[in-house]
Amino acid sequence: MKNLISIFLFLISIFGYSQTIFVPFKVGNLFGISDEKGNLKITPTFDYINISSDQNNYFLAYKNGKSSCIYKDKVIIKDKNYFGYYPYNDLIVAVEKSSKRTTSYYSHNNEQCHLYSNSGSLIFPDYYMFIRIFEVSEQPITENVLIQLSDMNGKYSIVVYNKKQKKVIQTFLDVVPDLEFSFDAISINQSFTFDYLTNSNINRRITLQYNGKAFSVILDETLPKKDSDFDNYFGSEVAVDMGEDYITKKKNEIQTSKIEVKSIEKVYGAYRNKEFKWVSKWKLPSETSLVFENNKYGIKKYNTNEFLIPIEYDAIYSCDFFGHNYHGYILKKETKYGLYITGFKVRGNGFFIPNIFENIPLVDQFDYVKKNFHIIGLYDAQGQFLHYANNQGFIYAK
């Protein structure tokens, strides 16, 4: 019985630890890190902190033009020139600008990157043009991980890195001039297929199988010579006549008869301070779901007379939070703001966050660490980021 109780308490401690939530907390003009309840864990010393959109509890922090990476309540990489940190489970790709011309992936700049562990240890000392980790956040963290390396000369390698031994234990492709991959249902058959060009100018294909612990080759074959990209392009594209009616707009509409529809456009970029821009459009009442009656706004469901949002708000602004997955409306009533959120991820079951915010709220993270816990970014009327809150209205600022 004693052993069973010990095991139970151990499992509870693991579950509790895994559910710990950390959030950027602002004091004055500086940011630190607190827990879910606002208890400070990292003293506010940073100019701003952004939450990683790739994985929970990873943060990009800036101070005096230098960047740091925070994982949970620890600064693990400090005062670097990296403009972005991109976590993949317990590994992090850190990217900075390069003086050498490269094929960019994370930004519009020439880039070079390093690979770190989430303890802050540099895994490969050399810079790479690009690093791809074939281990997605939904999968369990594994001891062996498959990595694609693109060196600064544009050559590709496929290696297996062992996290426990902290070294490369297998090399499947070594500095080949060209490579393409297909990610083939890893959760079902655990396989990866790569088409590559050898240094002898031969097209080959290799498929790797993963059994939960190790990778093995299950296919290794020569491919027929590819057609040129020029032939593929002109052989497959078909011109479509859109028609004049499709691409022209009506010119005889009187603007005074239209409704002004305002929306908010988020300015994306993990390595920059958050902000948004106002976008204003004019539409005829018959062309929009926005309804204006008795100086109040509401929203009708598409192509019906049923209301999605009742006519009781002083202003409604549309906003794209995360594309088709999450989007919706910012709702203003008197001096307070609320949200209506819809999209593919909520499966058509849109939901309201009440009018509890003094500042303009934009959803920053959905289901952050746990279900139904959302991080809200609060902005001033000019679109400049102020601080974070949660969907219950708790403000992470003093």
Side-chain angles (χ1 to χ4, degrees):
M1 176 64 74
K2 185 177 180 180
N3 287 337
L4 288 175
I5 292 173
S6 298
I7 292 171
F8 177 75
L9 292 174
F10 176 70
L11 292 174
I12 288 294
S13 67
I14 291 176
F15 180 79
Y17 180 77
S18 66
Q19 296 298 307
T20 303
I21 297 174
F22 296 99
V23 183
F25 193 101
K26 188 178 184 182
V27 177
N29 292 321
L30 298 175
F31 285 86
I33 296 292
S34 78
D35 63 15
E36 175 184 354
K37 296 180 179 179
N39 299 309
L40 279 174
K41 300 298 181 180
I42 296 179
T43 302
T45 58
F46 296 98
D47 297 328
Y48 66 90
I49 298 178
N50 288 346
I51 305 173
S52 171
S53 59
D54 302 294
Q55 210 163 323
N56 294 327
N57 284 330
Y58 279 93
F59 310 96
L60 170 65
Y62 261 87
K63 181 181 179 180
N64 299 328
K66 294 289 186 179
S67 70
S68 297
C69 183
I70 300 172
Y71 177 54
K72 295 185 176 178
D73 59 347
K74 299 287 188 300
V75 180
I76 58 173
I77 305 171
K78 188 175 181 180
D79 296 338
K80 300 293 185 180
N81 291 320
Y82 303 121
F83 63 74
Y85 299 90
Y86 302 90
Y88 297 83
N89 283 333
D90 52 353
L91 300 179
I92 304 163
V93 178
V95 188
E96 66 181 55
K97 294 180 181 180
S98 173
S99 59
K100 182 175 181 178
R101 186 174 180 80
T102 64
T103 301
S104 295
Y105 182 83
Y106 291 102
S107 74
H108 297 297
N109 302 309
N110 296 323
E111 301 167 354
Q112 57 192 24
C113 55
H114 277 134
L115 185 64
Y116 287 86
S117 70
N118 67 359
S119 65
S121 299
L122 182 63
I123 292 175
F124 301 131
D126 293 334
Y127 279 110
Y128 289 90
M129 189 182 301
F130 176 65
I131 298 172
R132 175 180 278 119
I133 300 169
F134 293 95
E135 181 180 50
V136 295
S137 59
E138 288 80 8
Q139 298 295 322
I141 295 176
T142 57
E143 185 174 307
N144 294 319
V145 58
L146 193 68
I147 300 176
Q148 173 190 323
L149 302 171
S150 304
D151 68 21
M152 298 303 290
N153 295 313
K155 298 295 183 70
Y156 300 88
S157 299
I158 300 293
V159 303
V160 176
Y161 177 77
N162 183 279
K163 299 172 186 177
K164 187 174 181 179
Q165 299 179 43
K166 298 182 179 180
K167 66 178 183 180
V168 172
I169 60 170
Q170 287 176 286
T171 300
F172 290 108
L173 298 178
D174 189 21
V175 197
V176 298
D178 195 15
L179 180 141
E180 297 177 357
F181 82 94
S182 62
F183 182 61
D184 187 17
I186 176 83
S187 61
I188 299 174
N189 58 20
Q190 309 286 302
S191 68
F192 301 86
T193 297
F194 301 92
D195 292 350
Y196 66 98
L197 183 67
T198 70
N199 289 302
S200 302
N201 207 33
I202 298 173
N203 292 309
R204 292 190 59 80
R205 172 174 294 167
I206 185 172
T207 298
L208 308 177
Q209 185 96 35
Y210 182 61
N211 64 9
K213 292 184 178 180
F215 294 88
S216 59
V217 177
I218 61 171
L219 176 68
D220 191 0
E221 63 180 357
T222 299
L223 299 175
K225 187 176 180 180
K226 291 183 179 180
D227 295 329
S228 70
D229 291 338
F230 183 86
D231 292 336
N232 285 337
Y233 179 82
F234 285 100
S236 61
E237 295 295 320
V238 178
V240 178
D241 185 2
M242 302 297 287
E244 185 176 352
D245 291 339
Y246 183 84
I247 61 175
T248 59
K249 295 182 178 180
K250 298 176 183 179
K251 301 295 183 181
N252 59 351
E253 296 170 348
I254 303 172
Q255 180 151 314
T256 54
S257 68
K258 298 180 181 180
I259 294 176
E260 184 181 17
V261 180
K262 284 189 176 181
S263 63
I264 284 175
E265 180 179 293
K266 293 177 71 174
V267 179
Y268 293 94
Y271 53 90
R272 61 186 298 171
N273 208 345
K274 298 174 184 293
E275 60 181 326
F276 72 78
K277 296 187 298 185
W278 290 104
V279 179
S280 184
K281 299 179 180 178
W282 290 85
K283 293 185 177 181
L284 289 173
S286 61
E287 296 176 347
T288 179
S289 59
L290 184 67
V291 179
F292 182 65
E293 292 180 5
N294 300 321
N295 293 318
K296 298 292 182 181
Y297 290 90
I299 298 285
K300 281 185 178 179
K301 288 187 177 180
Y302 178 72
N303 217 19
T304 73
N305 288 321
E306 184 181 351
F307 278 93
L308 183 70
I309 297 171
I311 308 176
E312 60 184 53
Y313 295 96
D314 297 308
I316 296 179
Y317 314 113
S318 63
C319 187
D320 175 1
F321 300 120
F322 290 101
H324 293 296
N325 287 330
Y326 296 105
H327 55 89
Y329 301 94
I330 296 165
L331 313 172
K332 184 180 181 183
K333 186 182 291 186
E334 296 179 350
T335 62
K336 297 290 185 71
Y337 295 89
L339 292 160
Y340 179 82
I341 298 164
T342 185
F344 290 152
K345 289 289 187 177
V346 300
R347 299 179 180 179
N349 299 315
F351 63 95
F352 288 89
I353 295 177
N355 290 67
I356 53 178
F357 301 106
E358 298 283 353
N359 302 107
I360 298 172
L362 276 68
V363 180
D364 196 275
Q365 303 290 322
F366 284 92
D367 291 336
Y368 181 67
V369 181
K370 65 181 181 181
K371 188 73 173 175
N372 296 323
F373 186 85
H374 313 304
I375 298 295
I376 309 296
L378 296 177
Y379 296 75
D380 65 19
Q382 288 70 49
Q384 298 302 305
F385 175 72
L386 299 173
H387 46 257
Y388 293 98
N390 65 26
N391 53 297
Q392 300 300 317
F394 184 87
I395 304 295
Y396 294 96
K398 286 184 180 179

